[in-house]
């Protein structure tokens, strides 16, 4: 579920533009999805702390850890781009 998540409506024409607007407006973006949705649930369920898993469970746990790390890295890139965009907009508004 975590790895294959897609926003509701992802197949609707024009969705990508609307999703970009939501992300820029900080309504919902990768950082929010990572920090406020997935991390709390995974922490509550203690998914990454489960010991004694068989090979399939260990593989799934490792894949989830890699996915979360990748999502965090992508969210960091987005955060940097958003901060740069805000700085440009503030500079335009000031000058």
């Amino acid at each position: 579920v975590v790895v294959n998540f897609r926003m509701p409506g992802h197949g609707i024409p024009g969705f990508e533009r609307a999703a970009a607007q939501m992300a820029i407006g900080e309504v919902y973006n990768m950082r929010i999805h990572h920090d406020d949705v997935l991390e709390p649930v995974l922490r509550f369920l203690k998914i990454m702390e489960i010991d004694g898993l068989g090979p399939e469970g260990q593989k799934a746990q490792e894949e989830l850890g890699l996915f979360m790390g990748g999502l965090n890295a992508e969210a960091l890139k987005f955060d940097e781009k958003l901060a740069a965009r805000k700085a440009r907009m503030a500079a335009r508004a000031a000058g």
Side-chain angles (χ1 to χ4, degrees), residues 1 6 13 15 31 34 36-37 43 52-54 57 71 78:
V1 172
R6 298 289 177 261
F15 175 79
R31 174 59 56 210
H34 179 276
D36 298 338
V37 177
R43 193 171 34 252
L53 296 172
L71 180 60
F78 176 80

Side-chain angles (χ1 to χ4, degrees), residues 18-61:
Q21 291 172 331
M22 286 188 292
I24 290 168
E26 298 181 79
V27 173
Y28 199 81
N29 57 38
M30 285 184 278
R31 174 59 56 210
I32 293 167
H33 187 63
H34 179 276
D35 292 356
D36 298 338
V37 177
L38 296 178
E39 280 289 333
V41 170
L42 297 176
R43 193 171 34 252
F44 175 78
L45 296 173
K46 300 180 181 181
I47 296 295
M48 301 311 288
E49 300 169 27
I50 298 172
D51 290 327
L53 296 172
E56 190 175 318
Q58 286 177 339
K59 182 181 177 194
Q61 193 177 48

Side-chain angles (χ1 to χ4, degrees), residues 48-81:
M48 301 311 288
E49 300 169 27
I50 298 172
D51 290 327
L53 296 172
E56 190 175 318
Q58 286 177 339
K59 182 181 177 194
Q61 193 177 48
E62 289 170 13
E63 288 174 356
L64 183 58
L66 289 171
F67 174 82
M68 291 298 291
L71 180 60
N72 189 52
E74 288 297 314
L76 181 58
K77 288 179 196 175
F78 176 80
D79 293 342
E80 291 168 353
K81 288 179 183 179

